[in-house]
């Protein structure tokens, strides 16, 4: 096993500097973390790699910080995929399904990817020949977590959340939420799939898992969930088809504020 890789039997994944040459075998899943708070000159450089649609979306943001974060998020995505495909970032073209899940227009390399960003940090998941989803959330102390759980979580998840000590419930809520979001993003269903129709683990310290799915109970065995800890104050999760994959976690140089 190479440095920076971990199998599904382990828990903690180190965030390492990437190798000079990236390779993506069929059983590999790569997750990258990046700071979206970069120098304005860096954001300007990324802007030059975006297509007209992305530039239009960037222009809709009222605050400059939000606009620059969007530009960096899309620029890093293009830079990463360009490295895997040995192509110029500006040459890549994306398509989107009816629920907004992005994909590369060219399927020649069977590359699958997903991204999520929150509060200035982004995660990117990249693999080959399997569907994948990633979700990242900044843990907000002002969120009415239990009220949201009552509305969206399954009966099993609500009962598990209620049984936890009060001090753990907020964190457990975000563990649950990110795992559910990662799963539906991997499926490409968006919020058209009711969140109370499947159960995920949420007890802090226990492995991430898709416990059950309705109405097809066999659906749960098709997927693996993984807990990610990209930075203090965040919750994150990865969902990928199958169980025969190896995870590597890399950091986009340099992780942290670059202003």
């Amino acid at each position: 096993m190479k440095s920076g890789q971990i199998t599904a039997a382990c828990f903690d994944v180190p965030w390492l500097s990437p190798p000079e040459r990236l390779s993506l075998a069929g059983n590999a899943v790569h997750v990258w973390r990046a700071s979206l708070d970069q120098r304005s000159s860096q954001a300007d450089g990324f802007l030059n790699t975006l297509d007209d649609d992305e530039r239009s979306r960037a222009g809709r943001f009222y605050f400059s910080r939000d606009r620059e974060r969007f530009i960096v998020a899309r620029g890093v995505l293009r830079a990463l995929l360009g490295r895997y495909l040995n192509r110029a970032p500006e040459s890549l073209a994306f398509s989107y399904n009816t629920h907004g899940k992005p994909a590369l227009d060219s399927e020649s390399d069977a590359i699958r990817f997903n991204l999520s960003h929150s509060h200035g940090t982004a995660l990117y998941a990249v693999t080959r020949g399997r569907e994948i989803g990633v979700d990242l959330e900044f843990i907000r102390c002002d969120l009415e977590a239990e009220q949201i759980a009552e509305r969206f979580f399954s009966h099993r998840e609500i009962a598990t959340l209620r049984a936890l000590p009060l001090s753990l419930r907020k964190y457990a809520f975000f563990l649950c939420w990110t795992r559910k979001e990662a799963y539906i993003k991997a499926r490409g269903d968006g919020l058209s799939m009711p969140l109370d129709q499947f159960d995920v683990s949420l007890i802090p310290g226990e492995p991430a898992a898709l416990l059950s799915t309705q109405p097809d109970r066999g659906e749960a065995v098709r997927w693996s969930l993984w807990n990610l800890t990209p930075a203090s104050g965040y919750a994150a999760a990865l969902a990928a088809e199958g169980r025969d994959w190896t995870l590597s976690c890399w950091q986009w140089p340099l992780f942290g504020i670059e202003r």
Side-chain angles (χ1 to χ4, degrees):
M1 185 182 301
K2 294 181 180 180
S3 175
Q5 294 182 336
I6 191 163
T7 67
C10 303
F11 291 94
D12 296 323
V13 186
W15 297 88
L16 302 179
S17 298
E20 279 190 28
R21 294 186 178 180
L22 290 175
S23 61
L24 190 64
N27 67 336
V29 173
H30 292 180
V31 177
W32 295 77
R33 69 175 181 178
S35 170
L36 302 183
D37 292 320
Q38 302 291 326
R39 296 186 183 96
S40 294
S41 58
Q42 180 73 69
D44 291 341
F46 282 135
L47 180 63
N48 293 328
T49 69
L50 305 190
D51 62 21
D52 290 341
D53 175 68
E54 290 167 321
R55 293 185 187 189
S56 176
R57 291 166 63 186
R60 296 174 198 153
F61 288 96
Y62 182 81
F63 294 106
S64 60
R65 184 180 69 171
D66 296 333
R67 181 169 57 254
E68 289 191 358
R69 283 178 173 178
F70 175 84
I71 292 168
V72 172
R74 299 298 298 195
V76 170
L77 173 65
R78 285 178 170 274
L80 283 173
L81 295 177
R83 286 187 63 183
Y84 285 108
L85 297 169
N86 195 29
R87 290 174 54 186
E90 60 270 19
S91 72
L92 302 178
F94 300 107
S95 60
Y96 301 85
N97 74 3
T98 55
H99 301 291
K101 185 177 182 180
L104 285 165
D105 265 356
S106 172
E107 295 292 335
S108 58
D109 288 290
I111 292 287
R112 301 287 188 273
F113 68 93
N114 202 236
L115 67 154
S116 182
H117 52 85
S118 177
H119 209 69
T121 297
L123 291 182
Y124 304 84
V126 186
T127 189
R128 192 186 301 276
R130 73 179 75 230
E131 294 304 328
I132 196 167
V134 68
D135 191 61
L136 169 71
E137 301 290 342
F138 181 72
I139 299 174
R140 291 171 46 195
C141 296
D142 61 340
L143 194 71
E144 298 293 339
E146 292 187 54
Q147 292 182 20
I148 297 173
E150 292 279 351
R151 182 178 177 186
F152 292 107
F153 289 1
S154 70
H155 294 303
R156 179 178 182 177
E157 291 163 344
I158 294 169
T160 302
L161 190 66
R162 287 174 176 168
L164 290 172
L166 191 60
S167 60
L168 294 179
R169 289 182 191 174
K170 183 83 70 175
Y171 181 49
F173 166 85
F174 279 98
L175 292 180
C176 187
W177 186 266
T178 53
R179 292 167 189 180
K180 294 174 89 68
E181 283 282 327
Y183 171 60
I184 63 174
K185 289 178 71 177
R187 285 174 51 99
D189 292 330
L191 290 176
S192 67
M193 182 177 185
L195 294 177
D196 61 357
Q197 295 300 297
F198 61 97
D199 303 304
V200 299
S201 61
L202 58 87
I203 298 176
E206 292 189 359
L210 181 60
L211 301 175
S212 65
T213 50
Q214 299 178 31
D216 181 5
R217 296 183 179 180
E219 173 74 3
V221 301
R222 290 186 51 230
W223 300 89
S224 299
L225 290 184
W226 201 272
N227 186 68
L228 300 168
T229 309
S232 177
Y234 288 87
L238 170 74
E241 276 188 297
R243 300 175 183 273
D244 59 337
W245 47 272
T246 300
L247 177 63
S248 301
C249 288
W250 312 113
Q251 53 190 20
W252 179 262
L254 295 169
F255 182 76
I257 295 176
E258 289 296 303
R259 291 190 183 277

